[in-house]
Amino acid sequence: MDARQKEKYLREYSAMKAAGKPFFPYAVGKDGLMACIVMIVIILMSLFLGAELGPKADPTTTSYVPRPEWYFFFLFEVLRVIKPPDLVFVATLGIPNIALGLLVLLPFYDRGPERRPERRPVAMIAMLLTIVAMTYLTLLGAFAGSPITIDEEVPAKYQYGKEVAANSGCLGCHKFGENGNDGPGPNLSEIGARLPKQAIERTLDNPTPPMPSFKSMPPEQKKALVEFLGQLR
Ligand code: HEC
């Protein structure tokens, strides 16, 4: 802002200030009244409508899909996209706090006098990009596949084996079609074409770390699992 602009601004400001009402008590009174009304509405709603409770927590479930509230989907998706364990702190602390810091410091680095959106291209583009990125990540997070389902269609006789695979934690390290994680284990979408069933079973019993051993899996489950994996090609 140059000296002329500043002088003009101060002139207009003092004229408006002389014509207007003081902040206290007018604005404070108005805000206070509105705050009381909102408060009373919330109290009445909680008295007469009550709060919604979800189903009771079941500590024995193996099919629970952990998900944050919808307004955290974008952070959840950032964490899902940034896979390497060494970089988790970047996703959980780094990105959100850098963004927050930039927002808090905005009045200090954006010293421009302009208030009209069309004269602030940098700020407007940054805002639009942020909104688009957050919307996109929120949608991706909302439609993220469950960590315990495999969507691929299989003939009915392999259905049980597919459920065993989905519920045994394989998806944490392997990808099956569109489901699961791309690593640390190899993609298993076509494992049947690469390994014969005996070799698959041997891998389950004596895997190379970090893959855990599934030696103690009940035999009928393991058989179904191996049959399912063997036909993936
Ligand atoms: C903690 C991560 C992890 C889990 C959980 C896991 N695996 Fe693995 N798996 C791996 C890794 C890593 C390899 C690669 C090991 C190697 O290269 O020797 C692997 C290799 C394999 C292979 C051999 C693939 C190939 O191309 O040679 C098969 C088959 C396999 N896993 C099946 C499964 C099944 C089925 C489950 C679930 C019952 C499972 N894994 C669970 C990490 C995991």
Side-chain angles (χ1 to χ4, degrees):
M1 204 188 286
D2 60 33
R4 200 174 46 81
Q5 275 177 318
K6 192 161 186 170
E7 199 189 308
K8 179 164 167 271
Y9 170 79
L10 286 176
R11 206 162 2 118
E12 286 175 3
Y13 177 72
S14 61
M16 278 161 87
K17 191 164 178 173
K21 291 178 175 168
F23 183 75
F24 184 86
Y26 291 99
V28 173
K30 242 185 191 169
D31 287 357
L33 181 67
M34 197 57 214
C36 287
I37 292 176
V38 170
M39 203 63 181
I40 289 170
V41 168
I42 293 176
I43 291 174
L44 289 179
M45 279 170 78
S46 61
L47 280 179
F48 294 108
L49 299 178
E52 185 201 346
L53 288 181
K56 226 172 166 177
D58 174 6
T60 62
T61 181
T62 55
S63 56
Y64 180 69
V65 180
R67 281 290 182 277
E69 295 291 343
W70 68 268
Y71 43 83
F72 283 133
F73 275 158
F74 70 101
L75 279 180
F76 163 71
E77 190 60 28
V78 168
L79 193 56
R80 243 166 56 86
V81 173
I82 301 180
K83 289 252 177 58
D86 292 345
L87 292 181
V88 162
F89 77 95
V90 173
T92 52
L93 286 174
I95 295 176
N97 280 320
I98 288 171
L100 217 68
L102 285 176
L103 202 59
V104 169
L105 294 178
L106 185 66
F108 298 98
Y109 60 80
D110 181 7
R111 307 286 295 173
E114 292 299 349
R115 289 293 172 266
R116 287 173 164 278
E118 65 269 26
R119 296 207 192 134
R120 309 186 62 200
V122 177
M124 290 307 288
I125 290 172
M127 181 193 74
L128 286 178
L129 285 182
T130 308
I131 291 176
V132 167
M134 282 176 72
T135 309
Y136 179 64
L137 288 172
T138 298
L139 288 176
L140 281 188
F143 295 116
S146 150
I148 48 155
T149 45
I150 297 174
D151 292 324
E152 201 161 302
E153 292 294 328
V154 292
K157 63 173 173 166
Y158 299 120
Q159 191 61 32
Y160 179 57
K162 182 175 105 166
E163 277 161 28
V164 174
N167 288 314
S168 301
C170 319
L171 290 165
C173 302
H174 293 287
K175 212 165 177 146
F176 293 85
E178 286 302 299
N179 305 108
N181 285 316
D182 207 2
N187 189 321
L188 295 184
S189 306
E190 291 169 2
I191 183 66
R194 261 187 294 134
L195 283 185
K197 284 186 212 155
Q198 300 90 313
I200 294 176
E201 188 162 359
R202 244 178 289 132
T203 305
L204 291 175
D205 287 342
N206 290 307
T208 323
M211 178 161 154
S213 170
F214 292 89
K215 210 179 175 94
S216 55
M217 183 181 267
E220 81 281 7
Q221 282 188 20
K222 199 189 297 172
K223 186 160 177 297
L225 175 59
V226 172
E227 291 291 328
F228 163 71
L229 294 170
Q231 58 86 46
L232 290 175
R233 55 193 68 212

